[in-house]
């Protein structure tokens, strides 16, 4: 207790210690043995606290003092004889049954008595059972829990038996759901009933709980019931639950229990209309009053609300920021609902205004960086961070990017987190800082001493739908080939902002970043060509990097060409459409420019066409007559191919074989599986194109 001082025990107080230091040679005073009291209640394991009627002991002990030596010898002044209200057992009698350590001199020498202890535990258990039995619905809860114990063993209960158990369980809980749901143990019984019950039984539970859902959401245990109802229920159950939260959002989002279930409902169960109603309440108390008309369409977009009611801008923005700030200060920052509200606020402040600067300071104010890290992994949150990077100055950009130290890999593989990395690529002028902050957490030699482990990690990046984006984005000429529509829309927004906030030319920035990443990627391709070509994402990675990377590509190109060498059958992975496209792109030595209708050659030229032709050798005829015919077309279309005349003569020589192959492939297409049909059809078109190219 604050401010409470206990008086020092006479035997351990300052005076006693002072005397002990003096007498090393003096004879010690004989201590009179304390006679154990006859009443077992008077036995204690430590010095008792005696309530005092006076305050003469000390000015700050609040009338509580330690007993004197005489009091210890005589025994406690106050004798307890109260009765326990619940079980009616007198505490003195209960104390006797605990089998305490006997006092010295009674023959036991203070040894532990196992039998007495066991009896005491049995009596304690009996008292606990009596207390449980005295509670309301105790018998029903006990029966329901026995059924639950059987039902929850999912793999061992036959279907028919489970149906019978569920029927018995619903006989018990029907009409008593409210009594069951607020307890931690019986609440699980209701959750199991929801899991295994049919839709009508679930609706029965939902109707019984009508009017109680806000209270359930605020309960430590019952809140899980709402989640189960929404997961296993239908639209009718959803529309019973969610409207009970209307008008209470500002209170619930600040509640330690209700906030989590409210956010789960908002993120995963609510319809767009329901989400708009819930989000509007962040804008002020007046928006907690909602309309129930069927044709009413609530508007959650703050920009539209402010356009319709410009006079309400100040109170709405103030109310919204205050609630956001409260949650951020409480560290409840993982809610999608909070991130949506923050985005609405940030989109409606004027860049460079006091409101905008205050919001950015809120983002930077979290010393641990938890707010920015949580934001990066939601749709609205990643947009907030990306826009903050675009609008900020160089100093703030550095600080924002530094927050994600040791989180880059997680961002790269996340559906929303990778957008933050793309925004950093496109707006930060200091490319050395960007490369150091981001690339050092990719699988590079500086981090991974074991080259095999490094390559395994890189393969995970290259073949992952999201993980490949932060690497390939710097090399692709057409971002839409790897980016989803959501990313393209966000980057378009960022590019319009950076024209006023960044100084470096975008192409220069991208080339500098690509140059920093090129050496490790070229080395990786040279050492893992076969593994990459067997994967469609790997083929795209190889072609994009080799066409755009900076540095010596000879070793990597040679590794790809070596895969085509051999006198046996062409490997299946080389006949796949992705592999054919890769080889054709490398043979052309550049990318097709739709504006000029010509190939923009890589600088310096790859000269892969000559490498490939030399490796094919006598195998070139099977390549011309099979699924890889377009690769040969690429050789003929290549501007800098040295053996074009020789190849044309070879095609004319095998004209009959090519024509026969076209006829055979027409029959194969009919019998082929869907996955093979595309490659066979492509081969047929390629063969026809070869024949056309050598007619003249």
């Amino acid at each position: 207790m604050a401010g409470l001082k206990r008086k020092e025990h006479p035997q351990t107080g300052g005076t006693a210690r002072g005397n002990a230091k003096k007498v090393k040679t003096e004879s010690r005073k004989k201590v009179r043995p304390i006679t154990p009291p006859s009443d077992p209640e008077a036995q204690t394991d430590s010095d008792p606290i005696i309530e005092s009627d006076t305050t003469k002991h000390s000015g700050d002990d609040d009338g509580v003092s330690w007993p004197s030596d005489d009091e210890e010898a005589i025994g406690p002044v106050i004798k307890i004889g109260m009765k326990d209200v619940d079980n009616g057992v007198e505490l003195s009698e209960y104390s006797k049954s605990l089998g305490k350590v006997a006092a010295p001199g009674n023959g036991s020498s203070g040894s532990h008595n196992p039998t007495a202890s066991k009896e005491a535990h049995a009596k304690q258990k009996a008292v606990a059972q009596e207390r449980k039995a005295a509670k309301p619905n105790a018998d029903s809860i006990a029966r329901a829990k026995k059924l639950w114990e059987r039902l929850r063993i999912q793999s061992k209960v036959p279907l028919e038996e489970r149906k019978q158990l569920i029927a018995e369980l619903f006989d018990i809980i029907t009409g008593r759901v409210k009594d069951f749901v607020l307890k931690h143990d019986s609440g699980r019984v209701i959750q199991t009933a929801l899991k295994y019950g049919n839709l009508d039984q679930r609706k029965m539970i939902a109707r019984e709980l009508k009017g109680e859902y806000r209270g359930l959401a605020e309960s430590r245990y019952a809140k899980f019931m709402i989640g189960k109802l929404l997961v296993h229920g239908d639209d009718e159950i959803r529309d019973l639950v969610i409207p009970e939260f209307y008008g209470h959002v500002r209170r619930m989002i600040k509640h330690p229990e209700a906030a989590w279930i409210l956010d789960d409902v908002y993120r995963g169960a609510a319809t767009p209309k329901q989400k708009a109603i819930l989000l509007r309440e962040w804008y002020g108390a007046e928006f907690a009053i909602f309309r129930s008309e069927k044709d009413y369409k609530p508007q959650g977009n703050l920009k539209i609300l402010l356009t319709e009611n410009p006079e309400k801008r100040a109170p709405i923005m103030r109310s919204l920021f205050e609630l956001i700030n409260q949650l951020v200060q409480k560290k409840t920052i993982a809610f999608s609902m909070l991130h949506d509200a923050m985005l609405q606020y940030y989109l409606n402040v004027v860049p460079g205004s006091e409101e905008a600067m205050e919001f950015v300071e809120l983002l930077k104010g979290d010393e641990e960086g938890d707010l920015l890290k949580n934001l990066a992994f939601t749709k609205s949150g990643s947009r907030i961070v990306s826009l903050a990077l675009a609008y900020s100055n160089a100093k703030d950009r550095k600080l924002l990017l530094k927050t994600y130290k040791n989180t880059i890999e997680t961002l790269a593989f996340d559906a929303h987190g990778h957008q933050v990395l793309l925004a950093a690529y496109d707006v930060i002028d200091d490319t050395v800082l960007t490369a150091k902050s981001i690339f050092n957490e990719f699988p590079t030699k500086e981090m991974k001493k074991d080259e095999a482990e490094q390559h395994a990690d890189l393969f995970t990046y290259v073949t992952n739908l999201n993980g490949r984006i932060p690497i390939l984005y710097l090399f692709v000429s057409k971002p839409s080939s790897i980016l989803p529509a959501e990313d393209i829309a966000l980057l378009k927004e960022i590019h319009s902002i950076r024209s006023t906030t960044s100084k470096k030319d975008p192409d220069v920035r991208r080339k500098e970043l690509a140059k920093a990443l090129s050496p490790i990627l070229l080395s990786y391709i040279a050492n893992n060509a076969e593994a990459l070509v067997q994967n469609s994402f790997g083929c795209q990675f190889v072609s994009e990097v080799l066409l755009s990377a900076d540095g010596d590509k000879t070793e990597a190109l040679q590794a790809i060409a070596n895969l085509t060498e051999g006198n046996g059958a062409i490997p299946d992975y080389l006949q796949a459409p992705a592999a054919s496209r890769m080889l054709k792109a490398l043979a052309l030595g550049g990318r097709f420019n739709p504006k000029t209708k010509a190939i923009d050659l890589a600088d310096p030229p790859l000269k892969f066409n000559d490498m490939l032709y030399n490796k094919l050798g006598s195998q070139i005829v099977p390549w011309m007559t099979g699924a890889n015919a377009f690769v040969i077309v690429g050789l003929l279309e290549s501007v800098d191919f040295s053996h074009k005349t020789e190849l044309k003569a070879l095609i004319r020589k095998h004209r009959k074989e090519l024509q026969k192959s076209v006829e055979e492939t027409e029959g194969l297409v009919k019998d082929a599986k869907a996955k093979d049909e595309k490659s066979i059809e492509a081969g047929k078109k390629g063969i026809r194109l070869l024949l056309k190219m050598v007619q003249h």
Side-chain angles (χ1 to χ4, degrees):
M1 184 184 296
L4 176 64
K5 289 187 178 179
R6 289 181 169 179
K7 295 190 72 174
E8 294 179 339
H9 193 285
Q11 293 182 356
T12 59
T15 307
R17 283 195 292 269
N19 294 338
K21 291 181 180 178
K22 293 178 182 178
V23 281
K24 283 193 177 179
T25 56
E26 294 180 13
S27 60
R28 296 177 181 268
K29 292 183 180 181
K30 293 184 178 180
V31 179
R32 182 177 58 180
I34 299 173
T35 306
S38 58
D39 192 340
E41 289 180 29
Q43 299 178 20
T44 60
D45 295 333
S46 61
D47 295 326
I49 296 177
I50 308 301
E51 295 186 10
S52 174
D53 292 331
T54 67
T55 56
K56 66 181 181 180
H57 304 286
S58 135
D60 56 356
D61 59 4
D62 292 340
V64 180
S65 64
W66 291 101
S68 65
D69 286 353
D70 294 335
E71 288 170 339
E72 286 189 1
I74 295 171
V77 176
I78 298 174
K79 185 174 181 180
I80 300 173
M82 294 187 301
K83 290 188 176 183
D84 189 305
V85 177
D86 290 334
N87 54 36
V89 179
E90 196 170 24
L91 290 180
S92 60
E93 293 298 324
Y94 181 72
S95 178
K96 292 176 184 179
S97 69
L98 294 179
K100 289 195 174 184
V101 178
N106 65 355
S108 65
S109 303
S111 60
H112 179 65
N113 188 342
T115 306
S117 178
K118 191 173 182 180
E119 292 175 357
H121 284 305
K123 289 186 177 182
Q124 287 176 334
K125 190 173 182 180
V127 170
Q129 293 293 339
E130 290 176 7
R131 287 178 177 174
K132 285 184 179 180
K135 293 179 179 179
N137 299 310
D139 183 56
S140 300
I141 291 174
R143 288 164 52 210
K145 285 173 68 176
K146 286 182 180 179
L147 294 172
W148 171 72
E149 285 289 346
R150 180 64 177 154
L151 277 168
R152 70 193 186 102
I153 309 174
Q154 182 178 359
S155 60
K156 297 184 179 180
V157 182
L159 180 60
E160 292 301 321
E161 183 182 353
R162 182 182 295 121
K163 288 181 179 179
Q164 183 179 353
L165 292 172
I166 284 292
E168 292 180 26
L169 182 59
F170 272 92
D171 288 341
I172 296 171
I173 66 174
T174 300
R176 302 171 181 164
V177 174
K178 291 181 183 179
D179 298 328
F180 275 66
V181 78
L182 289 172
K183 298 179 177 63
H184 74 94
D185 51 355
S186 57
R188 295 180 182 179
V189 174
I190 304 299
Q191 291 181 42
T192 302
L194 282 170
K195 181 177 180 180
Y196 294 116
N198 57 41
L199 186 58
D200 290 336
Q201 291 170 327
R202 292 167 183 163
K203 287 181 179 180
M204 180 275 293
I205 293 175
R207 293 188 191 105
E208 280 200 31
L209 293 174
K210 186 177 181 181
E212 304 290 334
Y213 289 112
R214 185 170 68 88
L216 296 180
E218 295 176 355
S219 170
R220 182 177 180 183
Y221 302 108
K223 65 180 181 183
F224 299 111
M225 179 64 56
I226 297 175
K228 286 284 185 181
L229 271 171
L230 294 173
V231 168
H232 297 292
D234 61 356
D235 292 350
E236 181 183 343
I237 293 176
R238 179 198 64 205
D239 293 338
L240 277 173
V241 175
I242 297 178
E244 293 196 17
F245 298 158
Y246 296 165
H248 307 287
V249 171
R250 293 179 71 89
R251 168 193 166 93
M252 291 178 69
I253 198 64
K254 293 184 283 187
H255 192 279
E257 305 295 342
W260 295 98
I261 196 66
L262 175 64
D263 189 65
D264 286 344
V265 167
Y266 174 83
R267 185 181 68 251
T271 64
K273 180 179 178 179
Q274 290 169 338
K275 290 179 74 171
I277 294 174
L278 294 172
L279 187 60
R280 280 167 60 93
E281 295 190 30
W282 288 65
Y283 305 153
E286 65 178 287
F287 294 99
I289 302 172
F290 58 93
R291 300 179 183 176
S292 58
E293 293 90 350
K294 291 184 178 179
D295 58 345
Y296 171 57
K297 295 182 179 180
Q299 183 55 253
N301 190 321
L302 183 56
K303 187 174 183 178
I304 296 176
L305 286 175
L306 295 180
T307 303
E308 294 174 352
N309 306 280
E311 72 283 357
K312 296 182 180 179
R313 186 184 188 283
I316 288 175
M317 296 296 282
R318 182 172 60 251
S319 175
L320 179 54
F321 185 79
E322 285 175 357
L323 184 53
I324 290 170
N325 189 42
Q326 287 178 27
L327 296 178
V328 170
Q329 300 309 320
K330 287 173 63 178
K331 298 289 186 181
T332 51
I333 51 182
F335 300 137
S336 296
M337 198 176 192
L338 170 64
H339 300 176
D340 285 356
M342 292 177 72
L343 179 61
Q344 290 298 323
Y345 182 87
Y346 197 36
L347 289 176
N348 288 279
V349 297
V350 179
S353 66
E354 184 178 347
E355 288 179 331
M357 291 188 288
E358 187 179 20
F359 185 82
V360 174
E361 287 301 319
L362 182 68
L363 298 180
K364 299 189 301 180
D366 185 3
E367 294 180 0
E368 293 81 12
D370 292 337
L371 175 59
L372 283 168
K373 289 175 182 176
N374 276 278
L375 285 171
F377 295 99
T378 63
K379 180 179 179 180
S380 296
S382 61
R383 188 179 175 191
I384 291 170
V385 179
S386 300
L387 293 175
L389 283 168
Y391 281 119
S392 298
N393 55 37
K395 183 179 178 181
D396 285 346
R397 286 170 178 169
K398 181 178 180 180
L399 186 61
L400 292 172
L401 187 59
K402 186 179 178 181
T403 305
Y404 294 104
K405 186 177 182 181
N406 299 325
T407 317
I408 299 298
E409 183 173 358
T410 312
L411 289 174
F413 285 94
D414 187 75
H416 305 296
H418 72 267
Q419 295 175 348
V420 176
L421 301 181
L422 301 188
Y425 289 162
D426 281 354
V427 301
I428 297 178
D429 290 334
D430 187 352
T431 53
V432 175
L433 170 67
T434 307
K436 184 178 179 181
S437 302
I438 298 177
F439 298 161
N440 280 357
E441 295 192 32
F442 286 164
T444 60
K445 290 183 178 179
E446 289 75 10
M447 291 183 64
K448 305 284 185 181
K449 293 183 179 180
D450 183 6
E451 191 175 14
E453 184 180 358
Q454 168 202 349
H455 289 169
D457 288 350
L458 258 176
F459 188 78
T460 305
Y461 273 82
V462 169
T463 57
N464 183 272
L465 182 63
N466 296 317
R468 69 196 184 117
I469 292 175
I471 293 178
L472 273 183
Y473 178 68
L474 298 171
F475 298 94
V476 295
S477 60
K478 191 178 179 183
S480 59
S481 63
I482 62 168
L483 297 180
E486 181 184 321
D487 288 14
I488 295 172
L490 177 60
L491 290 175
K492 186 177 181 180
E493 185 178 11
I494 290 172
H495 293 168
S496 65
I497 297 169
R498 76 175 177 187
S499 60
T500 59
T501 60
S502 297
K503 299 177 181 178
K504 185 171 287 189
D505 181 82
D507 291 334
V508 173
R509 183 190 294 109
R510 175 174 291 199
K511 287 179 181 178
E512 289 177 354
L513 291 172
K515 183 177 181 179
L517 199 55
S518 291
I520 181 62
L521 299 184
L522 291 174
S523 173
Y524 173 58
I525 293 172
N527 290 281
N528 299 271
E530 186 174 358
L532 288 169
V533 174
Q534 293 183 36
N535 183 280
S536 59
F537 284 168
C539 290
Q540 185 180 17
F541 168 78
V542 169
S543 59
E544 297 292 356
V545 171
L546 290 178
L547 288 172
S548 302
D550 185 278
D552 187 5
K553 308 171 187 176
T554 306
E555 189 177 351
L557 290 167
Q558 193 64 53
I560 299 297
N562 289 341
L563 298 176
T564 64
E565 187 177 20
N567 296 321
I570 303 172
D572 290 340
Y573 65 85
L574 287 179
Q575 299 185 61
S580 293
R581 287 194 297 270
M582 175 199 70
L583 291 171
K584 182 184 177 183
L586 295 178
L588 288 170
R591 297 185 177 93
F592 179 75
N593 188 331
K595 294 181 180 179
T596 62
K597 305 295 182 181
I599 301 296
D600 293 337
L601 295 177
D603 185 24
L606 298 183
K607 301 299 293 182
F608 178 76
N609 41 30
D610 290 334
M611 290 184 191
L612 179 62
Y613 185 77
N614 292 331
K615 290 294 180 182
L616 288 176
S618 59
Q619 287 290 104
I620 198 166
V621 176
W623 280 69
M624 289 189 297
T625 58
N628 298 101
F630 268 110
V631 178
I632 310 302
V633 172
L635 291 176
L636 290 177
E637 291 178 344
S638 179
V639 178
D640 57 350
F641 180 43
S642 305
H643 305 280
K644 190 175 294 186
T645 304
E646 182 180 341
L647 179 57
K648 284 185 176 181
L650 188 62
I651 294 172
R652 292 189 185 99
K653 181 179 178 181
H654 296 278
R655 185 191 300 271
K656 291 183 179 179
E657 294 180 38
L658 293 174
Q659 291 174 341
K660 183 179 179 182
S661 180
V662 171
E663 296 171 0
E664 291 176 352
T665 52
E666 288 177 353
L668 289 173
V669 169
K670 297 178 182 179
D671 300 331
K673 296 179 180 178
K675 64 178 182 179
D676 298 326
E677 186 176 343
K678 287 185 179 180
S679 60
I680 296 172
E681 188 67 33
K684 184 175 70 173
K685 290 180 180 179
I687 296 169
R688 287 176 175 170
L689 188 55
L690 282 175
L691 291 171
K692 186 177 180 180
M693 293 175 74
V694 297
Q695 282 179 356
H696 304 290

